[in-house]
Amino acid sequence: MNNVPDAYLGVWQRTLLRTADGIEDRVTRVFWLQTPALHADVRLPDPAPTSITQRISQAGFAGLTEVQGDRCQWHRLVDFHPDSGTDVGLMTFITPDEVQETAPDGSYVEIWQRLPESIGSTQAIWLAAAGDAPRQGCLLLAGDCFMFVADRPTPARKGLSLAAQINGLSADQVELMMSCEFSFGRIAGAKVPWEITLSTVPGRAGRCLLLDPPETSLEQWPVESLATLGGYPPPTGWQRAPLPLLNLPVEEVTP
């Protein structure tokens, strides 16, 4: 897969969603962090949801990004709402820091603004639970911003909505199913270093992602710095993993 064009890199905040039937959303807090291969996207109502019913309205996904011309596809490898498919948008750059995303079927238009503090170098690492546990996640940086993603501690079933999957579970079981973490924050430009300002996990906002982060690139972070990231780290700890590969169909070339 080719690298994502430089024009996409950074953190983009959605300022408008307009659907084909005229519904507009300017309130939901939506941030999309893009690196040359990986993306992470978090979407939370304002004010922050507290009850399980309210938290069902949250969204977030992370994975690989594919750009071909004006067509951008976000392949979801970690998803707050399991098995919700892929995202495809037709992208028009109004300015270098404003882009319009239009659904191929015309069902919606979104306007995105790039955060000035996100302009600069980007870094990304893919994470997997040590051992045979199936959990995965990632840590992405863009300028002064970061996004940490961790799949839920309890695996979700495909083809079944999150609301259906938590129906009938105990309170503890529901919490584990709901704890698919998407945490966004600032590295240095916040009240404390690496402060989480927005998270799908209650109680994470306002906390540090890591109390004593190494002053090196992500690729050089020691295992012990990665192992306990997040509100629900794996019992075996996180470890750095190779970037995932997409099993995309191979196009036949006619001689």
Side-chain angles (χ1 to χ4, degrees), residues 5 11 19 43 60-61 67 72 75 83 94 103 107 119 129 131 216-218:
V11 175
T19 63
R43 306 177 178 214
F61 52 90
V67 178
C72 185
H75 297 274
D83 202 28
I94 301 168
S107 59
I119 298 174
T216 61
S217 67
L218 292 183

Side-chain angles (χ1 to χ4, degrees), residues 47-243:
T50 53
S51 70
I52 293 298
T53 301
Q54 293 170 337
R55 289 168 62 190
I56 285 285
S57 65
Q58 298 179 141
F61 52 90
L64 290 161
T65 310
E66 182 184 11
V67 178
Q68 296 180 345
D70 66 348
R71 181 181 184 275
C72 185
Q73 183 165 358
W74 297 271
H75 297 274
R76 302 182 178 192
L77 304 179
V78 178
D79 201 338
F80 187 85
H81 290 278
D83 202 28
S84 59
T86 60
D87 239 351
V88 178
L90 303 178
M91 314 299 281
T92 302
F93 282 84
I94 301 168
T95 72
D97 298 315
E98 183 177 61
V99 63
Q100 175 179 294
E101 176 189 343
T102 305
D105 63 359
S107 59
Y108 71 83
V109 171
E110 292 178 311
I111 301 297
W112 299 86
Q113 297 277 351
R114 180 157 49 185
L115 300 183
E117 62 268 33
S118 74
I119 298 174
S121 63
T122 63
Q123 299 180 54
I125 55 172
W126 195 251
L127 300 170
D132 296 329
R135 290 182 68 191
Q136 55 187 352
C138 59
L139 178 57
L140 312 182
L141 310 183
D144 193 44
C145 302
F146 71 87
M147 191 92 76
F148 171 73
V149 176
D151 206 354
R152 52 183 39 86
T154 299
R157 287 174 285 168
K158 292 186 177 182
L160 192 64
S161 71
L162 182 58
Q165 294 197 46
I166 65 174
N167 186 39
L169 297 181
S170 70
D172 289 344
Q173 291 171 326
V174 168
E175 190 58 39
L176 291 177
M177 285 294 296
M178 294 295 296
S179 295
C180 186
E181 182 170 351
F182 291 81
S183 290
F184 171 73
R186 266 71 176 187
I187 298 168
K191 297 176 183 177
V192 293
W194 291 79
E195 181 186 10
I196 297 169
T197 57
L198 200 66
S199 182
T200 55
V201 177
R204 295 289 288 159
R207 303 183 63 178
C208 297
L209 178 69
L210 190 63
L211 291 176
D212 190 21
E215 295 183 4
T216 61
S217 67
L218 292 183
E219 287 294 339
Q220 296 177 319
W221 277 25
V223 173
E224 55 267 24
S225 295
L226 300 173
T228 59
L229 289 177
Y232 292 86
T236 54
W238 293 110
Q239 63 183 5
R240 193 177 291 104
L243 286 181

